[in-house]
């Protein structure tokens, strides 16, 4: 007996006629639409979650690397004559020169870092002062390259640079003066009096991180050394490297250059637990979304079972005409697979559109919620980021099509193994 090649045109024709159910078979048509919509929404949700996941991690890491040291070098504390632990670096220029010679290091900046109170009138804010050289401040991307910056960063040597959150809390703008109040001031016979000094705000930056913008103040290192009684010394060294993602491989050379008392603290040490939590959450969310896709794909099974039941007479006639079991199986496999393919395509389109226009969508949602949809003080960043990546889209497509094809096999095999005599007995 002559055989036809798999997925011949007549098989596609029969499958297409079955998908276009008549009004009397409206149940099959409804189940097909339910399956189609379910696959579409599941794939859309999967791509949306994956894109937001990728965007959030990328934005979080970028704000870390763009406004903080990739590696912080400091020294073991020594107990001084007053009984206090001293971690200051006396010969910081020589130490910075040694560290700068380590392959992969792009910049080394001595810092004076202290916590103080900032004041303007009746407004106060706890801030962290970073004493840094003006030329080094210009190399910090999220500070010098802030798209919401106000003022002139080239005037940094004449005053202070403050985060936009600090400026809003104190109610100051460029040209205003703020007071920095340190409790560790001048020692007198009546105790230690706070040290107070006023500085002009010459630059306001927005680093993109709530905690940075809310607490950080930059002060020229010479002024910081005078203000904190740390002339000729630094608290730590801020090190930038060529490849922050590969910072662990440069840790040993940095420790060797830092000397016996040297210690290092990388950006991964500071944020590693949060990044690990994000990775775990990513895997869990992918599994949950995969289950949703599976549930949506199971609707295809229900629709195909109903289709096979309604088309029992047709199957019997086709088998008696010489159609093979394989041909019947492929006909119903095409019916289910076609639903999965169309739903996947529509879901990919919706998911990609969501990732591309997430700012507009989020802005509308935020407007409807009265501006409370996103709390930067909790999430750290100011907006919902989304980053569309090819790997995420391909993962969603592969998962959806794979599940759609697999679940289709069972009802298709059931149709192929139907006995034509039993199918026609009561017709």
């Amino acid at each position: 007996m002559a055989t036809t090649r798999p997925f011949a045109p007549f098989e596609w024709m029969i499958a297409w006629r079955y998908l276009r159910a008549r009004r009397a078979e409206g149940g099959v048509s409804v189940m097909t639409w339910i399956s189609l919509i379910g696959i579409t929404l599941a794939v859309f949700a999967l791509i949306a979650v994956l894109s937001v996941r990728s965007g959030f991690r990328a934005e979080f890491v970028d704000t870390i690397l763009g406004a903080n040291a990739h590696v912080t070098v400091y020294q073991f504390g020594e107990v001084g004559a007053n009984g206090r632990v001293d971690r200051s670096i006396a010969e910081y220029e020589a130490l910075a020169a040694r560290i700068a010679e380590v392959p992969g290091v792009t910049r080394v900046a001595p810092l004076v870092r202290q916590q103080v109170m900032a004041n303007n009138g009746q407004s106060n804010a706890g801030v962290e002062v970073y004493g840094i050289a003006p030329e080094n401040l210009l190399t910090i991307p999220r500070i010098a390259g802030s798209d919401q910056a106000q003022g002139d960063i080239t005037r940094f040597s004449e005053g202070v640079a403050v985060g936009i959150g600090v400026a809003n809390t104190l109610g100051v703008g460029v040209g205003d003066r703020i007071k920095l109040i340190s409790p560790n001031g001048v020692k007198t016979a009546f105790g230690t009096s706070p040290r107070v000094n006023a500085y002009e705000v010459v630059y306001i930056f927005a680093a993109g991180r709530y905690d940075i913008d809310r607490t950080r103040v930059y002060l020229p290192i010479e002024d910081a050394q005078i203000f904190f009684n740390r002339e000729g010394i630094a608290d730590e060294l801020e090190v930038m490297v060529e490849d922050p993602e590969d910072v662990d491989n440069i840790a040993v050379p940095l420790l060797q250059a830092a000397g016996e008392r040297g210690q290092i603290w990388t950006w991964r040490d500071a944020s590693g637990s949060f990044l690990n939590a994000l990775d775990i959450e990513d895997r869990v969310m992918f599994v949950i979304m995969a289950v949703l896709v599976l549930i949506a794909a199971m609707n295809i099974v229900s629709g195909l079972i109903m289709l096979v039941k309604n088309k029992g007479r047709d199957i019997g006639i086709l088998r008696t005409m010489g159609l093979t079991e394989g041909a019947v199986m492929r006909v119903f496999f095409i019916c289910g697979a076609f639903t999965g393919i169309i739903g996947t395509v529509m879901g990919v389109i919706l998911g990609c559109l969501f990732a591309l226009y997430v700012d507009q969508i989020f802005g509308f949602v935020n407007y409807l919620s009265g501006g409370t949809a996103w709390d930067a003080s909790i999430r750290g960043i100011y907006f919902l980021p989304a980053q569309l990546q090819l790997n995420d889209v391909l993962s969603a497509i592969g998962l959806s099509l794979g599940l759609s094809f697999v679940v289709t096999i069972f009802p298709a095999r059931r149709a192929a193994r139907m006995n034509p005599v039993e199918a026609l007995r009561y017709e």
Side-chain angles (χ1 to χ4, degrees):
M1 183 175 64
T3 59
T4 59
R5 62 182 178 85
F7 297 102
F10 76 88
E11 296 176 0
W12 289 90
M13 180 191 68
I14 297 173
W16 176 244
R17 290 177 64 88
Y18 284 175
L19 285 173
R20 297 165 57 196
R22 297 191 301 271
R23 184 174 301 176
E25 298 166 347
V28 176
S29 179
V30 170
M31 287 303 301
T32 301
W33 278 104
I34 291 175
S35 303
L36 184 65
I37 294 173
I39 291 291
T40 299
L41 294 179
V43 174
F44 160 71
L46 179 58
I47 292 179
V49 169
L50 293 178
S51 63
V52 170
R53 175 208 70 180
S54 300
F56 186 85
R57 190 183 193 283
E59 179 67 17
F60 184 82
V61 172
D62 186 65
T63 55
I64 293 174
L65 301 180
N68 294 294
H70 301 162
V71 182
T72 300
V73 178
Y74 58 100
Q75 292 188 340
F76 284 108
E78 292 184 343
V79 180
N82 56 2
R84 294 183 177 179
V85 177
D86 184 16
R87 296 180 179 270
S88 60
I89 305 174
E91 299 179 354
Y92 61 85
E93 292 182 352
L95 179 59
R98 291 201 308 270
I99 293 176
E101 295 176 356
V102 175
V105 173
T106 59
R107 177 177 68 80
V108 182
L111 296 180
V112 173
R113 184 174 172 181
Q114 299 289 330
Q115 294 180 346
V116 298
M117 177 75 72
N119 168 266
N120 177 53
Q122 300 298 318
S123 300
N124 299 287
V127 299
E128 191 167 21
V129 174
Y130 283 65
I132 189 172
E135 61 273 15
N136 290 325
L137 182 65
L138 292 173
T139 63
I140 304 178
R142 284 275 179 162
I143 305 301
S146 174
D147 56 357
Q148 300 181 29
Q150 305 172 34
D152 186 3
I153 195 172
T154 60
R155 294 188 56 225
F156 174 61
S157 58
E158 304 173 16
V160 295
V162 303
I164 191 170
V166 176
N168 292 336
T169 301
L170 298 179
V172 297
V174 175
D176 294 334
R177 299 181 70 84
I178 64 172
K179 293 179 181 178
L180 297 182
I181 306 171
S182 173
N184 299 321
V186 180
K187 294 182 180 180
T188 66
F190 301 98
T192 302
S193 61
R195 183 182 296 272
V196 182
N197 207 348
Y199 299 93
E200 179 185 356
V201 177
V202 297
Y203 185 71
I204 298 175
F205 60 85
R209 279 283 297 275
Y210 180 85
D211 54 340
I212 295 176
D213 294 338
R214 185 85 176 184
T215 61
R216 188 166 298 185
V217 173
Y218 285 98
L219 185 66
I221 187 168
E222 293 84 359
D223 295 338
Q225 288 172 330
I226 295 173
F227 182 76
F228 295 112
N229 288 329
R230 306 185 72 75
E231 290 87 348
I233 58 177
D235 292 314
E236 59 191 41
L237 300 180
E238 180 181 81
V239 180
M240 300 294 186
V241 299
E242 292 178 356
D243 187 5
E245 295 287 349
D246 196 37
V247 70
D248 293 336
N249 290 331
I250 202 175
V252 174
L254 285 175
L255 272 174
Q256 294 173 348
E260 296 180 355
R261 292 184 55 204
Q263 285 184 301
I264 64 171
W265 183 257
T266 69
W267 71 274
R268 288 188 180 278
D269 296 329
S271 305
S273 58
F274 185 81
L275 294 178
N276 291 336
L278 281 181
D279 292 337
I280 295 174
E281 184 181 16
D282 291 346
R283 298 187 186 98
V284 173
M285 290 302 298
F286 185 84
V287 171
I288 293 174
M289 291 296 104
V291 172
L292 292 181
V293 175
L294 177 60
I295 294 173
M298 293 301 294
N299 288 326
I300 298 178
V301 177
S302 302
L304 279 182
I305 291 176
M306 292 182 61
L307 181 61
V308 170
K309 182 178 180 180
N310 290 340
K311 298 298 181 181
R313 178 174 175 270
D314 292 1
I315 295 172
I317 294 173
L318 290 173
R319 289 296 308 280
T320 58
M321 292 175 61
L323 209 65
T324 63
E325 288 188 6
V328 173
M329 179 177 176
R330 288 191 293 270
V331 167
F332 287 94
F333 177 82
I334 291 173
C335 291
F338 188 76
T339 303
I341 292 172
I342 297 300
T344 300
V345 171
M346 294 175 62
V348 168
I349 293 173
L350 291 177
C352 292
L353 289 176
F354 173 84
L356 294 175
Y357 295 97
V358 65
D359 291 338
Q360 292 83 346
I361 296 173
F362 174 71
F364 179 71
V365 173
N366 201 41
Y367 170 77
L368 293 179
S369 63
T372 60
W374 189 268
D375 189 350
S377 63
I378 296 175
R379 295 170 175 86
I381 55 181
Y382 295 103
F383 61 95
L384 177 67
Q387 188 178 81
L388 191 62
Q389 294 186 350
L390 179 60
N391 289 338
D392 292 339
V393 176
L394 293 179
S395 298
I397 294 175
L399 178 65
S400 177
L401 293 182
L403 291 177
S404 298
F405 293 168
V406 169
V407 300
T408 302
I409 294 175
F410 170 73
R413 284 175 59 87
R414 180 181 178 184
R417 294 182 176 182
M418 183 177 293
N419 190 327
V421 176
E422 293 294 330
L424 295 173
R425 173 175 294 181
Y426 301 105
E427 295 297 335

